[in-house]
Amino acid sequence: EVQLVQSGAEVKNTGESLRISCKGSGYNFYAFWIGWVRQMPGKGLEWMGIIYPDDSQTIYSPSFQGQVTMSADKSVSTAYLQWSSLQASDTAIYYCARVNSPTLGTLWFDPWGQGTLVTVSS
Amino acid sequence: QSVLTQPPSGSGTPGQRVTISCSGSSSNIGSNTANWYQHLPGAAPKLLIHRNDQRPSGVPDRFSGSKSGTSASLAISGLQSEDEADYYCAAWDGSLNGYVFGTGTKVTVL
């Protein structure tokens, strides 16, 4: 079974750093792009970017470029999303998801991780 | 604000058919494929439809997708109480060089 399991909920203070993880299993992790999606409280889904674990190539949403860093370690089948200095506005649920399809134009996400709630207090 | 526009809400009684629209442009749905996700409260989003009208295994055939020009639609026939959720369309946008989600539609089963 293809599965993505994310790290647990985090509570941080403004200005702290954070890295959350997404571990894949049941498939060749290195061969599929992984995407990150944000859902702020009471809001919709926002695409943050995608990373290709085999060579760590990334495509960031302009809205998130420079705000977060995506990385991956294919040796442990895990993708990461990190912040160097959290803000209260980073409070959200963050989902990882596997990208399917060989072309960006036909891209879809399946399956999804269970989500990681990040709470940043000021 | 999203470049894919959906009605904020939709509703129906059990057994009815509900249709959700997703309006885009030539740079997203007009030139790429549309996908639909179901987001139940407290759960991870789930893929319902990919590549406009393809239903993954395990998704009931009550859910169907279509695309025409720069718009896509999701139809839920035989509405059930467990269909009460938020629904999002999504597509790659070549102008933005990114994946865009729709504004989301909350479906209520009356």
Side-chain angles (χ1 to χ4, degrees):
Chain A
E1 177 195 7
V2 176
Q3 197 173 10
L4 296 174
V5 178
Q6 298 185 229
S7 50
E10 301 275 0
V11 178
K12 292 287 188 179
N13 294 314
T14 302
E16 291 187 319
S17 63
L18 174 66
R19 188 178 77 168
I20 62 174
S21 65
C22 169
K23 183 174 176 62
S25 62
Y27 72 102
N28 292 325
F29 182 80
Y30 65 89
F32 289 78
W33 291 79
I34 290 286
W36 289 95
V37 175
R38 181 176 79 174
Q39 185 177 39
M40 299 178 71
K43 303 297 184 182
L45 303 177
E46 299 175 87
W47 177 76
M48 301 177 70
I50 53 175
I51 182 167
Y52 191 60
D54 195 33
D55 60 7
S56 292
Q57 181 184 353
T58 54
I59 302 177
Y60 286 92
S61 160
S63 299
F64 292 92
Q65 180 85 49
Q67 308 305 307
V68 296
T69 302
M70 295 182 295
S71 61
D73 183 345
K74 60 184 178 181
S75 70
V76 291
S77 300
T78 302
Y80 303 97
L81 182 67
Q82 68 181 67
W83 295 258
S84 59
S85 179
L86 286 161
Q87 304 301 313
S89 57
D90 294 316
T91 295
I93 299 175
Y94 294 87
Y95 295 100
C96 65
R98 192 184 79 168
V99 170
N100 293 277
S101 111
T103 64
L104 293 175
T106 58
L107 180 160
W108 72 92
F109 288 120
D110 184 51
W112 292 62
Q114 83 276 21
T116 296
L117 174 62
V118 174
T119 304
V120 184
S121 59
S122 52
Chain B
Q1 61 278 22
S2 176
V3 297
L4 300 181
T5 303
Q6 300 177 232
S9 62
S11 63
T13 57
Q16 278 191 327
R17 176 184 172 93
V18 171
T19 301
I20 302 169
S21 61
C22 175
S23 177
S25 67
S26 59
S27 63
N28 42 66
I29 294 176
S31 53
N32 297 306
T33 57
N35 310 293
W36 290 90
Y37 302 91
Q38 178 191 58
H39 196 189
L40 294 164
K46 172 188 173 184
L47 176 71
L48 278 183
I49 298 289
H50 64 89
R51 288 183 291 175
N52 303 326
D53 57 10
Q54 300 300 300
R55 198 172 44 248
S57 60
V59 174
D61 58 7
R62 304 185 292 104
F63 295 93
S64 61
S66 63
K67 170 183 151 176
S68 178
T70 59
S71 294
S73 293
L74 174 72
I76 311 173
S77 59
L79 194 65
Q80 298 182 5
S81 58
E82 57 259 40
D83 299 334
E84 197 160 274
D86 294 322
Y87 293 84
Y88 295 89
C89 61
W92 186 265
D93 190 298
S95 293
L96 298 176
N97 195 36
Y99 197 66
V100 289
F101 286 97
T103 48
T105 299
K106 183 175 185 62
V107 169
T108 302
V109 181
L110 302 171

